[in-house]
Amino acid sequence: MASLVSSPASPSISFPSSNPCSDRLHHRFLQTSRRHVIRCGIPDSLRFDNGSVPPSMPVINDSMLPGIYPGVRGLQGGIGRQNSRLRIFSGTANPALSQEIANYLGLELGKIKIKRFADGEIYVQLQESVRGCDVFLVQPTCPPANENLMELLIMIDACRRASAKNITAVIPYFGYARADRKTQGRESIAAKLVANLITEAGAHRVLACDLHSGQSMGYFDIPVDHVYGQPVILDYLASKMICSDDLVVVSPDVGGVARARAFAKKLSDAPLAIVDKRRQGHNLTEVMNLIGDVKGKVAVMVDDMIDTAGTIAKGAALLHQEGAREVYACSTHAVFSPPAIERLSSGLFQEVIITNTIPLHEQKSFPQLTVLSVANLLGETIWRVHDDCSVSSIFQ
């Protein structure tokens, strides 16, 4: 089973100031006097007491991690369903994450009816009024991508026809994001097509988490709030108290160097290594080269998603050959297409750290797997968008 850490409910709740945009980020992360302990460079950390946990896959909570958000936002800020125009609706792709987000905001999920006819067509009906409301639809376009995407489009259309004031598509995992450019002739750019579909369906805004490439935001003709899952993983790594002198951050390919560099800066400006793989010619095996020193160090491999785990598993094998003491794999999106589970559980990794942007079933669990929750991060972002507050300040 994946790592499971339980936390008792907080016995009391402290009330913040009435200004929702006031600075709540008042606890510096890991104020420790130990000079050589890894430090996280983000100003604060995230809580993981997100209410009910999906029954199929345990999600780590905040029993070992300090937090920037003191308790449940809804209970502290006086947000209540009876006096708020904020509405949260969930699709069928990841209802557990949607429930956690609603718990953080102190709201109930909106009532919605979603069913499929015998021929596979999707039917959506809102079971409550959203006229004049600020509506957020939580639906990752994870596998089955086409089903979940079509469901999201129909949900958007239902809200538009119900006279919602603002419709925000909350997409924790944006499918088709890898098809963001033409690498050879006569290819489609599916990421742009999907962006057009969401816009034309009637969405006024998109909230996405860790897009595969930043240029995907430019494909939308509506505002896009790009949320990074990096702080959640950084908090967890920092709680492990790895000696900063032993740490090295590794990019599994050249294309992820910018992501790994930003991650390394947050971890006490850790050194960076890069796995460079290249094919010498057609029908020839790939040649793997390592740029950087990992001998005797704890290597942290960082990527935005793990699909079949081929790239990250080959990179981990190379790191062990070069003398790495331990290898950790960190990724926001766990697509886990076969044979990912076999590769990740083969003993190459000390721990595989992911988030719950994509729901994981119990059969995809293995002993080295740890699942972190991004519900509070998304919940805080939703509230700031609703209340016209800064989103970028969360990551500064």
Side-chain angles (χ1 to χ4, degrees):
M1 285 297 296
S3 300
L4 174 61
V5 182
S6 60
S7 174
S10 176
S12 63
I13 298 174
S14 59
F15 288 82
S17 62
S18 59
N19 180 6
C21 291
S22 63
D23 185 9
R24 296 175 307 282
L25 315 181
H26 53 281
H27 295 296
R28 291 290 299 176
F29 183 76
L30 290 180
Q31 294 291 334
T32 175
S33 58
R34 298 169 65 181
R35 296 182 57 190
H36 299 290
V37 172
I38 183 174
R39 294 190 305 277
C40 178
I42 61 175
D44 310 275
S45 56
L46 299 170
R47 291 178 64 88
F48 300 100
D49 53 345
N50 292 313
S52 60
V53 176
S56 60
M57 178 62 64
V59 179
I60 198 167
N61 56 32
D62 69 335
S63 61
M64 70 174 73
L65 305 175
I68 60 173
Y69 306 135
V72 178
R73 155 69 84 169
L75 295 177
Q76 290 192 357
I79 309 169
R81 189 170 180 79
Q82 66 278 7
N83 59 6
S84 173
R85 307 296 288 178
L86 174 61
R87 297 287 187 271
I88 309 291
F89 290 93
S90 174
T92 61
N94 198 344
L97 176 59
S98 304
Q99 184 62 62
E100 293 180 43
I101 293 171
N103 290 344
Y104 174 79
L105 291 167
L107 300 173
E108 296 177 3
L109 284 176
K111 295 180 176 62
I112 186 171
K113 181 179 182 181
I114 302 175
K115 69 176 184 179
R116 282 162 174 78
F117 293 107
D119 61 355
E121 294 180 3
I122 301 171
Y123 172 83
V124 173
Q125 181 189 29
L126 303 179
Q127 301 287 291
E128 60 183 76
S129 174
V130 295
R131 185 178 298 273
C133 292
D134 201 359
V135 176
F136 291 81
L137 306 174
V138 183
Q139 174 80 341
T141 54
C142 52
N146 298 331
E147 282 279 314
N148 291 328
L149 174 60
M150 194 64 198
E151 184 178 302
L152 174 62
L153 297 176
I154 298 175
M155 290 170 64
I156 294 171
D157 182 70
C159 292
R160 179 176 63 88
R161 296 180 186 279
S163 302
K165 183 179 180 181
N166 291 299
I167 304 170
T168 300
V170 181
I171 310 176
Y173 171 73
F174 183 65
Y176 288 103
R178 286 174 283 185
D180 57 0
R181 63 190 183 277
K182 292 181 66 173
T183 58
Q184 52 188 349
R186 298 176 297 281
E187 282 186 336
S188 70
I189 304 178
K192 172 60 176 172
L193 173 62
V194 173
N196 289 343
L197 290 172
I198 293 172
T199 303
E200 291 301 318
H204 300 101
R205 179 182 293 269
V206 167
L207 197 166
C209 184
D210 271 334
L211 292 169
H212 185 65
S213 56
Q215 68 258 29
S216 297
M217 289 186 286
Y219 295 156
F220 290 90
D221 296 325
I222 54 178
V224 177
D225 290 302
H226 191 196
V227 176
Y228 300 94
Q230 189 181 82
V232 179
I233 299 174
L234 285 167
D235 279 1
Y236 178 75
L237 285 175
S239 71
K240 299 181 77 66
M241 297 295 181
I242 304 172
C243 179
S244 60
D245 294 336
D246 295 337
L247 186 71
V248 58
V249 175
V250 182
S251 173
D253 52 40
V254 176
V257 171
R259 183 184 303 107
R261 183 187 296 116
F263 196 90
K265 287 182 179 179
K266 300 295 185 180
L267 292 179
S268 301
D269 203 13
L272 181 67
I274 305 168
V275 175
D276 175 37
K277 63 176 183 179
R278 60 187 68 186
R279 198 178 294 272
Q280 299 293 334
H282 294 294
N283 300 323
L284 296 179
T285 58
E286 290 177 336
V287 177
M288 307 279 288
N289 300 302
L290 181 66
I291 303 172
D293 180 26
V294 299
K295 188 174 183 179
K297 293 184 178 294
V298 176
V300 178
M301 303 187 74
V302 180
D303 210 348
D304 64 318
M305 71 174 69
I306 299 176
D307 192 353
T308 61
T311 298
I312 202 166
K314 291 178 181 177
L318 177 63
L319 294 176
H320 282 294
Q321 293 175 13
E322 295 293 330
R325 191 170 80 241
E326 294 178 348
V327 179
Y328 289 79
C330 300
S331 176
T332 303
H333 307 300
V335 182
F336 285 1
S337 302
I341 304 302
E342 289 78 6
R343 288 169 171 169
L344 295 173
S345 60
S346 62
L348 290 171
F349 299 97
Q350 178 75 14
E351 192 171 0
V352 178
I353 304 167
I354 61 171
T355 73
N356 61 342
T357 57
I358 297 175
L360 279 182
H361 300 293
E362 193 169 357
Q363 59 266 29
K364 290 188 176 182
S365 175
F366 51 94
Q368 299 91 344
L369 183 65
T370 297
V371 184
L372 307 177
S373 178
V374 294
N376 281 9
L377 177 64
L378 293 174
E380 181 68 16
T381 305
I382 287 173
W383 171 247
R384 292 186 180 213
V385 171
H386 169 69
D387 206 43
D388 297 326
C389 294
S390 171
V391 172
S392 61
S393 60
I394 297 176
F395 308 99
Q396 291 176 355

Coordinates of all heavy atoms in Angstrom, one line a residue, residues 9 51 96 99 259:
A9 N -8.2 15.3 14.2 CA -8.8 16.6 13.9 C -8.3 17.6 14.9 O -8.1 17.4 16.1 CB -10.3 16.4 14.0
G51 N -10.0 16.6 4.8 CA -11.2 15.9 5.0 C -11.1 14.5 4.6 O -10.1 13.8 4.8
A96 N -13.2 12.3 -5.4 CA -12.5 12.4 -4.1 C -11.8 13.7 -3.9 O -11.9 14.4 -2.9 CB -11.6 11.2 -3.9
Q99 N -14.2 16.6 -3.5 CA -14.8 16.6 -2.1 C -13.8 17.2 -1.1 O -14.1 18.0 -0.3 CB -15.1 15.2 -1.7 CG -15.8 15.2 -0.3 CD -17.1 15.9 -0.3 OE1 -18.0 15.6 -1.0 NE2 -17.2 17.0 0.5
R259 N 12.5 23.0 -15.2 CA 11.6 22.5 -14.1 C 12.5 22.0 -13.0 O 12.3 22.4 -11.8 CB 10.7 21.4 -14.5 CG 9.8 20.9 -13.5 CD 8.9 19.7 -14.0 NE 8.2 20.1 -15.1 CZ 8.4 19.6 -16.4 NH1 9.5 18.8 -16.6 NH2 7.7 20.0 -17.4

